[in-house]
Amino acid sequence: MTQPRVTISGLTKYYGETLVLDDVNLSVAPHEVVCLIGASGSGKSTLLRCINKLTEYDHGTIALDGVSVDDPAWGRHGLYRKVGIVFQAYNLFPHMSVMENITLAPIKVHGMDKNAAIARGQELLTAFGLGEFGKAYPEQLSGGQQQRVAIVRALATKPEVLLLDEVTAALDPELVGDVLAIIRRLKGEGMTMVIVTHEMGFAREVADRVCFLDGGRIVEEGEPKKLFSAPENPRTRKFLERIIAAGRL
């Protein structure tokens, strides 16, 4: 049996006295794409950020390929090499060119040779239709282009797991398709991904498994076709009814 790439057991997180994650258990196999869905405040983004310890948790364990994320063997930056993350707000440095944004972590954090980092960055930019924008600055790009650069930046360190947090939420509708096409491509290349998304049609298309969170718990999970067409949990049904009524599925 193949060891899970990501294993989450009994994960609990409080913000003050507010319980945000309540005994969450989840495993993600190598090359699997898992989409996390649910209403705002259900714990999706917090769960995502706990995986690479951008957010500390109170109880439970998270392991990558069987090694706890708390293991000192990761060193200061080892976890960030293995797990890339992309946010909805891009988080690009405005005073740096596209190429400088992409190569900053590989060079400064992970010690990659500068020329090798630039070559890797150019290869990725070209692959994602941004080959001519290496010298441009973020403000010169559209929202969709900035989000693609953010994904390229996350891929520059050759991560084995990619976390995507509502990466289309800040985009105009006509730009969403470009970003979703990149995620489809990454799935085709075998990237392991955990995706927080409000794009239900996309989740149904790209996910191997969908997890519905409510009140900080995964209350139902399964293959997209089954979960979206015949959910078993009443809370899942109620959520999807609202999504359908809003024309989002």
Side-chain angles (χ1 to χ4, degrees), residues 93-103 133-138 149:
F93 294 110
H95 63 289
M96 292 184 175
S97 70
V98 165
M99 186 61 75
E100 288 169 338
N101 267 280
I102 292 168
T103 59
F133 292 105
K135 295 181 179 179
Y137 285 82
V149 170

Side-chain angles (χ1 to χ4, degrees), residues 10 33 83 91 119 127 135-136 152 176 198 225 245:
V33 177
V83 184
N91 290 359
K135 295 181 179 179
V152 166
V176 169
H198 68 286
K225 184 177 181 180

Side-chain angles (χ1 to χ4, degrees), residues 37 198-205 210 224-225 227-231 236-237 239-249:
I37 66 170
H198 68 286
E199 299 281 347
M200 298 299 139
F202 171 72
R204 181 167 55 185
E205 173 194 343
V210 176
K225 184 177 181 180
L227 188 137
F228 284 123
S229 62
T236 313
R237 288 198 295 270
F239 172 76
L240 291 175
E241 286 169 1
R242 292 199 301 267
I243 293 295
I244 292 169
R248 289 168 52 197
L249 181 61

Side-chain angles (χ1 to χ4, degrees), residues 15-245:
Y15 283 123
E17 296 183 357
T18 302
L19 180 61
V20 181
L21 296 175
D22 183 9
D23 193 29
V24 172
N25 298 283
L26 175 67
S27 63
V28 182
H31 315 302
E32 186 179 21
V33 177
V34 173
C35 283
L36 308 178
I37 66 170
S40 296
S42 60
K44 307 182 302 296
S45 293
T46 300
L47 174 58
L48 200 74
R49 292 169 63 93
C50 284
I51 293 175
N52 69 343
K53 296 199 70 178
L54 283 179
T55 294
E56 297 287 343
Y57 46 90
D58 296 296
H59 306 290
T61 60
I62 300 176
L64 299 173
D65 292 328
V67 180
S68 170
V69 296
D70 294 312
D71 192 317
W74 288 108
R76 186 176 177 188
H77 302 298
L79 198 59
Y80 300 135
R81 184 185 293 114
K82 194 176 185 75
V83 184
I85 188 165
V86 184
F87 305 98
Q88 71 178 61
Y90 324 138
N91 290 359
L92 300 176
F93 294 110
H95 63 289
M96 292 184 175
S97 70
V98 165
M99 186 61 75
E100 288 169 338
N101 267 280
I102 292 168
T103 59
L104 179 65
I107 295 171
K108 299 293 187 183
V109 178
H110 302 300
M112 186 182 292
D113 174 77
K114 181 177 180 180
N115 290 333
I118 291 173
R120 167 78 173 161
Q122 189 60 50
E123 176 186 354
L124 288 167
L125 286 172
T126 301
F128 293 125
L130 298 165
E132 71 272 31
F133 292 105
K135 295 181 179 179
Y137 285 82
E139 66 178 12
Q140 298 172 300
L141 307 181
S142 70
Q145 289 169 333
Q146 289 186 58
Q147 191 58 283
R148 279 188 279 166
V149 170
I151 293 173
V152 166
R153 181 177 61 181
L155 294 172
T157 55
K158 301 182 180 179
E160 296 178 16
V161 179
L162 188 62
L163 311 175
L164 300 158
D165 189 8
E166 296 278 23
V167 293
T168 61
L171 299 179
D172 293 333
E174 64 267 25
L175 301 176
V176 169
D178 290 343
V179 174
L180 296 184
I182 286 182
I183 299 172
R184 290 189 196 96
R185 172 176 176 166
L186 293 172
K187 174 181 171 65
E189 294 173 353
M191 175 65 73
T192 304
M193 291 184 280
V194 183
I195 303 171
V196 171
T197 184
H198 68 286
E199 299 281 347
M200 298 299 139
F202 171 72
R204 181 167 55 185
E205 173 194 343
V206 77
D208 298 303
R209 189 157 39 107
V210 176
C211 298
F212 170 66
L213 279 77
D214 184 73
R217 297 181 68 93
I218 296 176
V219 300
E220 186 167 357
E221 62 179 283
E223 295 181 358
K225 184 177 181 180
K226 181 178 185 300
L227 188 137
F228 284 123
S229 62
E232 297 178 358
N233 190 287
R235 285 182 284 180
T236 313
R237 288 198 295 270
K238 185 175 181 180
F239 172 76
L240 291 175
E241 286 169 1
R242 292 199 301 267
I243 293 295
I244 292 169

